[in-house]
Amino acid sequence: MNSNIMRNIKSRSSANDKIYTPLEVAKKMIDICNIQPDEIVLDPCKGGGVFYDNLPECEKKYCEIEENINFFDFNQKVDLIIGNPPYSIWNKWVDKTISLNPKKICYIWGLGNFTPARIEKFTNAGYGIKKLMFLTIDWWFSSSWVVLFEKGYESSEIINIPRTINCPKCGTRCGRGRTRKGVKLDPNKCQLIK
């Protein structure tokens, strides 16, 4: 199944999954990671090499589906995973990243992709958010978050993700106060969705 996912990305002609990270962004991401010479660093989707080619002195590894080196087949020990993953498979990518159990993970996230559920996957696996960088790249998609997760780091002071707060009248996600199919619901009435 994982090989099929990557084959689908590789075969798409207009995929947003093949968008290369700007050099300035990759350098900023590398800088916040404080990479040490004895660390093993993985670029999981090398693309044009903007991360891999700019890493400081360290042991470097990479995956690149265009070179038939599939991230989902990678199972070596690494200290840091850094890159710009394919957005269409974020959940599977996050799961694979966590399964490798690196000390640090640094990814760039579009605003809509940096969701509470995905953050919770990292925190449940023992990672905390050590650094956050907000970037607005005028000519490249939209604003983005660069996030450095670190194993064992306590980030409750940085970010707190409460559970969804349901309607106080009915106790469900009834849709009160939200727009549904172009119709604004009365904010004072519960309209249970069946």
Side-chain angles (χ1 to χ4, degrees):
M1 182 164 106
N2 291 337
S3 296
N4 289 337
I5 293 167
M6 296 312 288
R7 252 193 310 279
N8 287 344
I9 290 171
K10 189 174 178 180
S11 67
R12 281 197 204 153
S13 59
S14 63
N16 283 341
D17 294 331
K18 291 184 182 180
I19 303 299
Y20 295 143
T21 308
L23 177 61
E24 183 180 353
V25 172
K27 286 182 174 181
K28 285 179 183 300
M29 291 174 67
I30 290 166
D31 286 346
I32 71 168
C33 291
N34 192 26
I35 299 168
Q36 300 301 305
D38 64 338
E39 289 184 309
I40 303 167
V41 180
L42 172 66
D43 179 348
C45 41
K46 183 180 170 202
V50 73
F51 291 99
Y52 186 84
D53 295 342
N54 289 288
L55 291 171
E57 181 184 333
C58 65
E59 185 178 336
K60 304 188 294 188
K61 298 183 179 290
Y62 75 89
C63 299
E64 174 50 50
I65 196 65
E66 296 291 334
E67 295 180 33
N68 294 315
I69 305 170
N70 189 334
F71 175 60
F72 289 99
D73 295 334
F74 186 91
N75 287 309
Q76 299 173 34
K77 181 188 178 328
V78 295
D79 298 300
L80 167 67
I81 299 175
I82 183 171
N84 180 7
Y87 285 10
S88 70
I89 56 170
W90 257 121
N91 290 335
K92 291 181 185 337
W93 200 274
V94 167
D95 292 341
K96 176 60 181 179
T97 300
I98 290 170
S99 78
L100 293 172
N101 198 32
K103 289 189 286 189
K104 298 182 285 186
I105 302 160
C106 186
Y107 284 149
I108 186 166
W109 304 73
L111 292 183
N113 290 316
F114 191 54
T115 64
R118 290 179 180 141
I119 296 168
E120 191 171 41
K121 282 186 177 206
F122 285 103
T123 57
N124 288 343
Y127 290 90
I129 297 173
K130 185 161 187 180
K131 295 182 183 176
L132 283 170
M133 183 185 341
F134 183 79
L135 296 176
T136 299
I137 307 163
D138 186 49
W139 50 272
W140 190 68
F141 289 110
S142 65
S143 298
S144 301
W145 286 107
V146 170
V147 184
L148 176 63
F149 291 96
E150 188 170 305
K151 189 79 168 190
Y153 188 81
E154 179 58 52
S155 62
S156 62
E157 297 293 321
I158 294 174
I159 193 163
N160 185 346
I161 304 168
R163 296 280 178 205
T164 300
I165 299 170
N166 290 329
C167 173
K169 289 186 175 192
C170 69
T172 70
R173 296 185 69 195
C174 65
R176 185 169 62 92
R178 288 186 276 158
T179 302
R180 288 262 186 230
K181 296 182 182 177
V183 178
K184 185 76 173 173
L185 298 173
D186 184 334
N188 299 312
K189 294 181 183 175
C190 289
Q191 296 185 3
L192 296 175
I193 300 167
K194 297 179 182 180

